């Protein structure tokens, strides 16, 4: 009996530039096609760290080149662009792989908005550095325009945004209908485009939702049997990168909670996956 599987691809697993991403997407498509061929329903989610950084930098340079003509591009729009661009590569890689195997299945990317709570405490404490490094003078200008900035580990100044928890997925009904119709769906890219609800309207906000939390929400909301999170390491470790490092292969929820309490998993990278 086929299972419903959500697969979350790590942002860095998609490479740092355009040709790297296309090659990585091809390799990923083979693994995903194996699952589809075995009769499972697959929904693909993915990160966007390097890509959204690249897009944001390009848009910021455009504004700098001619501020009269190009007003700054909101972060939510940059996330939407990254979903389109990554979805384009994944969609084509999957389409080709399925066709090569004689599997007739549609593949479609859903630009996904994820609702966050404007009262989420994360908004009071922005923690996630994003985009290009700036000089102190550029950082001051950025702050003056209402965007928080911070010094990032001695490497220069960067914008810093909140990382609120996903509350709900706006396009969930479309995603469910597409899965039910037998399509392979790519959704929730980069954790989703963060929005807050204002009556019937949605307003994009300057935030980044962790793609692991968004993928977990997606898996819950479509009643998935499995959530698979792929990243740059083969396994989760305790005492990670220390001489007594030990790789884990199978743990209970109680053990996971105990390791979290010991601070075994780095916040913003491994911790959200284990949580
Ligand atoms: P992704 O884009 O896949 O979400 P992240 O960089 O956010 O990637 O998180 C995965 C990374 O977390 C791993 O590549 C590894 O470098 C790091 N990491 C931190 N703590 C651990 C740990 N305890 N075990 C394994 N990897 C860890
Ligand atoms: Mg991550």
């Amino acid at each position: 009996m086929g299972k419903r599987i959500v697969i979350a691809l790590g942002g860095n697993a998609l490479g740092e530039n355009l040709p790297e991403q296309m090659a990585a997407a091809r390799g990923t498509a083979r693994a995903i096609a194996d699952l589809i061929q075995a009769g499972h329903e697959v929904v693909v989610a993915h990160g966007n760290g390097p890509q959204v950084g690249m897009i944001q930098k390009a848009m910021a340079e455009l504004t700098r080149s001619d501020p009269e003509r190009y007003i700054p591009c909101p972060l939510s729009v940059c996330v939407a662009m990254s979903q389109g661009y990554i979805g384009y590569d994944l969609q084509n890689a999957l389409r080709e792989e399925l066709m090569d195997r004689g599997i007739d299945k549609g593949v479609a990317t859903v630009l996904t908005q994820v609702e966050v709570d404007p009262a989420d405490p994360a908004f009071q404490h922005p923690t996630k550095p994003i985009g290009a490094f700036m000089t102190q003078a550029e950082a001051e200008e950025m702050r003056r325009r209402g965007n928080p900035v911070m010094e990032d580990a001695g490497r220069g100044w960067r914008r810093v945004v909140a990382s609120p928890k996903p509350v709900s997925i706006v396009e969930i009904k479309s995603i469910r209908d597409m899965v039910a119709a037998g399509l392979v769906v790519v959704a929730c890219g980069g954790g989703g485009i963060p929005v807050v609800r204002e009556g019937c309207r949605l307003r994009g906000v300057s935030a980044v939702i962790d793609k692991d939390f968004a993928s977990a929400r997606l898996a819950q909301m479509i009643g998935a049997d499995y959530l698979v999170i792929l990243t740059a390491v083969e396994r989760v470790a305790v005492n990670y990168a220390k001489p007594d490092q030990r790789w884990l292969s199978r743990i209970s929820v109680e053990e996971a909670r105990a390791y979290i309490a010991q601070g075994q998993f780095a916040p913003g990278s491994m911790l959200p996956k284990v949580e």
Side-chain angles (χ1 to χ4, degrees), residues 210-212 268-269 273:
D210 194 284
K211 70 110 179 30
D212 301 316
S269 62
K273 300 180 200 303

Side-chain angles (χ1 to χ4, degrees), residues 7 36 39 78-79 111 174 265:
I7 302 186
I36 295 167
C78 295
V79 174
L111 286 183
S174 306
F265 312 118

Side-chain angles (χ1 to χ4, degrees), residues 190-211:
I193 304 162
V195 295
V196 295
R197 212 176 270 276
E198 290 173 351
C200 286
R201 291 179 200 284
L202 301 170
R203 183 168 57 82
V205 291
S206 230
V208 170
I209 302 166
D210 194 284
K211 70 110 179 30

Side-chain angles (χ1 to χ4, degrees), residues 11 34 36 43 57 61-62 72 87 104 121 124 130 133 139 144 163 177-178 182 194 204 208 226 243-245 250 272:
D34 286 345
I36 295 167
V43 177
K57 184 163 189 262
E61 271 162 23
L62 193 65
D104 181 21
Q124 304 310 315
I130 55 145
F133 288 98
R144 215 182 43 74
S163 196
D177 289 352
M178 289 163 84
V208 170
Y226 293 98
D244 57 347
Q245 166 177 302
R250 192 183 179 94

